[in-house]
Short mmCIF file of all heavy atoms in Angstrom, two decimals:
data_model
loop_
_atom_site.label_atom_id
_atom_site.label_comp_id
_atom_site.label_asym_id
_atom_site.label_seq_id
_atom_site.Cartn_x
_atom_site.Cartn_y
_atom_site.Cartn_z
N ASP A 43 129.95 66.90 104.24
CA ASP A 43 131.16 66.08 104.29
C ASP A 43 130.84 64.60 104.24
O ASP A 43 131.57 63.82 103.61
CB ASP A 43 131.97 66.39 105.55
CG ASP A 43 132.61 67.77 105.52
OD1 ASP A 43 132.69 68.37 104.42
OD2 ASP A 43 133.02 68.25 106.59
N GLY A 44 129.77 64.20 104.87
CA GLY A 44 129.37 62.79 104.86
C GLY A 44 128.95 62.31 103.49
O GLY A 44 129.26 61.19 103.09
N CYS A 45 128.23 63.16 102.76
CA CYS A 45 127.84 62.79 101.39
C CYS A 45 129.08 62.62 100.52
O CYS A 45 129.19 61.66 99.75
CB CYS A 45 126.91 63.85 100.80
SG CYS A 45 125.26 63.87 101.54
N ALA A 46 130.02 63.53 100.66
CA ALA A 46 131.27 63.44 99.90
C ALA A 46 132.03 62.17 100.27
O ALA A 46 132.63 61.52 99.41
CB ALA A 46 132.13 64.67 100.13
N ALA A 47 131.99 61.79 101.54
CA ALA A 47 132.67 60.58 101.99
C ALA A 47 132.05 59.33 101.38
O ALA A 47 132.76 58.40 100.98
CB ALA A 47 132.66 60.49 103.51
N VAL A 48 130.72 59.30 101.29
CA VAL A 48 130.03 58.17 100.65
C VAL A 48 130.45 58.06 99.19
O VAL A 48 130.77 56.98 98.70
CB VAL A 48 128.49 58.31 100.77
CG1 VAL A 48 127.78 57.29 99.90
CG2 VAL A 48 128.05 58.20 102.22
N VAL A 49 130.47 59.20 98.51
CA VAL A 49 130.88 59.21 97.10
C VAL A 49 132.32 58.71 96.96
O VAL A 49 132.61 57.85 96.12
CB VAL A 49 130.74 60.63 96.49
CG1 VAL A 49 131.35 60.70 95.10
CG2 VAL A 49 129.27 61.04 96.46
N ALA A 50 133.21 59.21 97.79
CA ALA A 50 134.62 58.81 97.71
C ALA A 50 134.78 57.31 97.96
O ALA A 50 135.54 56.64 97.25
CB ALA A 50 135.45 59.60 98.73
N ALA A 51 134.07 56.79 98.93
CA ALA A 51 134.17 55.36 99.23
C ALA A 51 133.69 54.52 98.04
O ALA A 51 134.33 53.53 97.68
CB ALA A 51 133.35 55.03 100.48
N GLU A 52 132.59 54.93 97.44
CA GLU A 52 132.07 54.18 96.30
C GLU A 52 133.01 54.26 95.10
O GLU A 52 133.18 53.27 94.39
CB GLU A 52 130.67 54.65 95.92
CG GLU A 52 129.61 54.19 96.89
CD GLU A 52 129.54 52.67 96.99
OE1 GLU A 52 129.49 51.98 95.95
OE2 GLU A 52 129.55 52.16 98.13
N PHE A 53 133.60 55.42 94.88
CA PHE A 53 134.56 55.54 93.77
C PHE A 53 135.80 54.68 94.04
O PHE A 53 136.39 54.14 93.11
CB PHE A 53 134.94 56.99 93.52
CG PHE A 53 134.07 57.67 92.50
CD1 PHE A 53 132.92 58.32 92.89
CD2 PHE A 53 134.40 57.64 91.16
CE1 PHE A 53 132.10 58.93 91.96
CE2 PHE A 53 133.59 58.25 90.22
CZ PHE A 53 132.43 58.90 90.62
N GLY A 54 136.16 54.52 95.31
CA GLY A 54 137.28 53.66 95.64
C GLY A 54 136.95 52.18 95.51
O GLY A 54 137.76 51.39 95.03
N ASP A 55 135.75 51.81 95.92
CA ASP A 55 135.35 50.40 95.92
C ASP A 55 134.80 49.92 94.59
O ASP A 55 135.02 48.77 94.20
CB ASP A 55 134.29 50.15 97.00
CG ASP A 55 134.82 50.35 98.41
OD1 ASP A 55 136.05 50.34 98.60
OD2 ASP A 55 133.98 50.53 99.33
N HIS A 56 134.03 50.76 93.92
CA HIS A 56 133.35 50.36 92.68
C HIS A 56 133.42 51.50 91.66
O HIS A 56 132.40 52.11 91.33
CB HIS A 56 131.89 50.04 92.97
CG HIS A 56 131.68 49.09 94.09
ND1 HIS A 56 131.93 47.74 93.99
CD2 HIS A 56 131.27 49.29 95.37
CE1 HIS A 56 131.68 47.15 95.14
NE2 HIS A 56 131.29 48.07 96.00
N PRO A 57 134.59 51.79 91.13
CA PRO A 57 134.74 52.98 90.26
C PRO A 57 133.86 52.97 89.02
O PRO A 57 133.30 54.02 88.67
CB PRO A 57 136.22 52.99 89.90
CG PRO A 57 136.74 51.64 90.22
CD PRO A 57 135.85 51.07 91.28
N ASP A 58 133.70 51.84 88.36
CA ASP A 58 132.87 51.82 87.14
C ASP A 58 131.42 52.15 87.44
O ASP A 58 130.79 52.96 86.74
CB ASP A 58 132.96 50.46 86.45
CG ASP A 58 134.33 50.19 85.88
OD1 ASP A 58 135.09 51.16 85.68
OD2 ASP A 58 134.65 49.02 85.63
N GLU A 59 130.88 51.51 88.47
CA GLU A 59 129.48 51.77 88.84
C GLU A 59 129.31 53.19 89.38
O GLU A 59 128.30 53.83 89.14
CB GLU A 59 129.01 50.76 89.89
CG GLU A 59 128.88 49.35 89.37
CD GLU A 59 130.18 48.56 89.46
OE1 GLU A 59 131.19 49.10 89.97
OE2 GLU A 59 130.19 47.41 89.03
N ALA A 60 130.31 53.67 90.11
CA ALA A 60 130.22 55.02 90.69
C ALA A 60 130.19 56.09 89.60
O ALA A 60 129.44 57.07 89.73
CB ALA A 60 131.39 55.27 91.64
N VAL A 61 130.95 55.90 88.55
CA VAL A 61 130.93 56.88 87.45
C VAL A 61 129.54 56.92 86.83
O VAL A 61 128.98 58.00 86.62
CB VAL A 61 131.99 56.53 86.38
CG1 VAL A 61 131.79 57.35 85.11
CG2 VAL A 61 133.39 56.75 86.94
N ARG A 62 128.96 55.76 86.57
CA ARG A 62 127.61 55.72 85.99
C ARG A 62 126.58 56.35 86.92
O ARG A 62 125.71 57.10 86.47
CB ARG A 62 127.21 54.29 85.65
CG ARG A 62 127.89 53.75 84.41
CD ARG A 62 127.27 52.43 83.95
NE ARG A 62 127.54 51.34 84.87
CZ ARG A 62 128.64 50.60 84.85
NH1 ARG A 62 129.57 50.84 83.95
NH2 ARG A 62 128.79 49.61 85.71
N ARG A 63 126.70 56.08 88.22
CA ARG A 63 125.73 56.65 89.16
C ARG A 63 125.86 58.16 89.26
O ARG A 63 124.87 58.88 89.31
CB ARG A 63 125.87 56.00 90.55
CG ARG A 63 124.83 56.53 91.52
CD ARG A 63 124.57 55.54 92.62
NE ARG A 63 123.60 56.05 93.59
CZ ARG A 63 122.29 55.97 93.47
NH1 ARG A 63 121.75 55.39 92.41
NH2 ARG A 63 121.49 56.46 94.40
N MET A 64 127.09 58.67 89.29
CA MET A 64 127.27 60.12 89.37
C MET A 64 126.77 60.79 88.10
O MET A 64 126.15 61.86 88.17
CB MET A 64 128.72 60.48 89.65
CG MET A 64 128.94 61.98 89.85
SD MET A 64 127.91 62.74 91.15
CE MET A 64 128.80 62.27 92.60
N CYS A 65 127.02 60.19 86.96
CA CYS A 65 126.49 60.75 85.70
C CYS A 65 124.97 60.81 85.75
O CYS A 65 124.36 61.81 85.35
CB CYS A 65 126.96 59.93 84.50
SG CYS A 65 128.70 60.17 84.11
N TRP A 66 124.35 59.73 86.25
CA TRP A 66 122.89 59.72 86.37
C TRP A 66 122.43 60.80 87.35
O TRP A 66 121.48 61.54 87.06
CB TRP A 66 122.39 58.36 86.85
CG TRP A 66 120.98 58.45 87.32
CD1 TRP A 66 119.85 58.56 86.54
CD2 TRP A 66 120.53 58.53 88.67
NE1 TRP A 66 118.74 58.69 87.34
CE2 TRP A 66 119.13 58.67 88.65
CE3 TRP A 66 121.18 58.49 89.90
CZ2 TRP A 66 118.36 58.77 89.81
CZ3 TRP A 66 120.42 58.59 91.05
CH2 TRP A 66 119.03 58.72 91.01
N ALA A 67 123.09 60.91 88.51
CA ALA A 67 122.68 61.88 89.52
C ALA A 67 122.74 63.30 88.96
O ALA A 67 121.79 64.08 89.11
CB ALA A 67 123.56 61.77 90.76
N ARG A 68 123.82 63.63 88.29
CA ARG A 68 123.95 64.96 87.70
C ARG A 68 122.91 65.20 86.62
O ARG A 68 122.28 66.25 86.57
CB ARG A 68 125.35 65.18 87.17
CG ARG A 68 126.39 65.31 88.26
CD ARG A 68 127.74 65.72 87.69
NE ARG A 68 128.68 65.99 88.75
CZ ARG A 68 128.73 67.11 89.46
NH1 ARG A 68 127.87 68.08 89.23
NH2 ARG A 68 129.63 67.27 90.40
N SER A 69 122.70 64.21 85.76
CA SER A 69 121.72 64.35 84.68
C SER A 69 120.31 64.50 85.23
O SER A 69 119.52 65.31 84.74
CB SER A 69 121.77 63.14 83.75
OG SER A 69 123.00 63.10 83.08
N ALA A 70 119.98 63.70 86.25
CA ALA A 70 118.64 63.77 86.85
C ALA A 70 118.39 65.14 87.45
O ALA A 70 117.30 65.71 87.29
CB ALA A 70 118.48 62.67 87.90
N LEU A 71 119.38 65.68 88.14
CA LEU A 71 119.21 67.00 88.75
C LEU A 71 119.13 68.10 87.70
O LEU A 71 118.35 69.04 87.84
CB LEU A 71 120.34 67.27 89.74
CG LEU A 71 120.33 66.37 90.98
CD1 LEU A 71 121.61 66.55 91.77
CD2 LEU A 71 119.11 66.63 91.84
N LEU A 72 119.92 67.98 86.64
CA LEU A 72 119.85 68.97 85.57
C LEU A 72 118.49 68.92 84.89
O LEU A 72 117.90 69.96 84.58
CB LEU A 72 120.97 68.74 84.55
CG LEU A 72 122.37 69.10 85.01
CD1 LEU A 72 123.40 68.63 83.98
CD2 LEU A 72 122.50 70.59 85.24
N ALA A 73 117.98 67.72 84.66
CA ALA A 73 116.66 67.58 84.03
C ALA A 73 115.57 68.16 84.93
O ALA A 73 114.62 68.77 84.45
CB ALA A 73 116.39 66.12 83.73
N MET A 74 115.73 67.96 86.24
CA MET A 74 114.74 68.46 87.19
C MET A 74 114.67 69.98 87.16
O MET A 74 113.60 70.56 87.31
CB MET A 74 115.11 67.98 88.59
CG MET A 74 114.11 68.34 89.65
SD MET A 74 114.61 67.71 91.26
CE MET A 74 115.76 68.96 91.78
N THR A 75 115.81 70.63 86.99
CA THR A 75 115.83 72.08 87.00
C THR A 75 115.66 72.68 85.61
O THR A 75 115.60 73.90 85.47
CB THR A 75 117.15 72.61 87.59
OG1 THR A 75 118.23 72.15 86.78
CG2 THR A 75 117.33 72.14 89.02
N GLY A 76 115.61 71.81 84.59
CA GLY A 76 115.46 72.30 83.23
C GLY A 76 116.73 72.91 82.66
O GLY A 76 116.69 73.64 81.69
N THR A 77 117.85 72.59 83.28
CA THR A 77 119.15 73.10 82.83
C THR A 77 119.80 72.06 81.94
O THR A 77 119.67 70.87 82.16
CB THR A 77 120.06 73.36 84.05
OG1 THR A 77 119.36 74.15 84.98
CG2 THR A 77 121.33 74.06 83.63
#
Side-chain angles (χ1 to χ4, degrees):
D43 290 344
C45 290
V48 170
V49 172
E52 286 300 311
F53 268 89
D55 294 342
H56 309 285
D58 293 340
E59 292 87 2
V61 168
R62 285 191 291 275
R63 183 155 178 85
M64 184 55 79
C65 287
W66 165 75
R68 290 187 173 281
S69 294
L71 293 170
L72 288 171
M74 184 179 82
T75 61
T77 309

